[in-house]
Amino acid sequence: MADPKINQDIVADFVHDIRQRAWQGKPYLLFCDIQDNAHYPALPEYACAVNLRFAEPVHHPDCLMSAATLVWFQQQNPILHGFELTELIRELHWKDVASDLSW
């Protein structure tokens, strides 16, 4: 049964796991729809993450590229139904979520 503490722990653990695998900065957590549950809203069933890279820096011109790691939760299986990312990132600005990298 979902509760605020369990949801918080699930999100924090997943973001921590992704942070350990990401090459740059802190993963950016996107908001998601939370399903109503009889007792407490439950997180969507699938935890998802993507690392995007752009061939130009956004903050420091001496860097070679920029990258962002996005984290979100979705109800549909991403393998069968794709990522519900388009709507979540429509309002994002790359410079606000990306970090610059060099090799």
Side-chain angles (χ1 to χ4, degrees):
M1 179 180 335
D3 68 44
K5 176 72 171 121
I6 290 173
N7 284 353
Q8 183 179 18
D9 289 347
I10 290 170
V11 171
D13 286 348
F14 186 64
V15 169
H16 176 76
D17 288 347
I18 297 304
R19 180 180 289 154
Q20 300 230 336
R21 291 168 177 77
W23 287 23
Q24 75 292 326
K26 180 180 176 184
Y28 185 84
L29 179 63
L30 299 166
F31 294 102
C32 60
D33 291 331
I34 293 181
Q35 303 296 316
D36 286 330
N37 179 312
H39 300 90
Y40 188 81
L43 288 171
E45 295 182 18
Y46 294 90
C48 305
V50 63
N51 184 271
L52 303 172
R53 297 187 183 184
F54 179 50
E56 296 179 16
V58 292
H59 302 288
H60 305 287
D62 55 328
C63 290
L64 297 175
M65 65 177 61
S66 54
T69 301
L70 306 177
V71 173
W72 74 100
F73 291 79
Q74 68 181 50
Q75 195 61 32
Q76 297 291 326
N77 181 327
I79 295 171
L80 299 176
H81 302 285
F83 297 114
E84 297 173 5
L85 189 58
T86 306
E87 290 299 316
L88 293 172
I89 65 171
R90 194 170 301 276
E91 300 297 320
L92 287 181
H93 296 281
W94 184 250
K95 66 180 175 65
D96 295 336
V97 296
S99 300
D100 290 332
L101 301 174
S102 288
W103 290 113

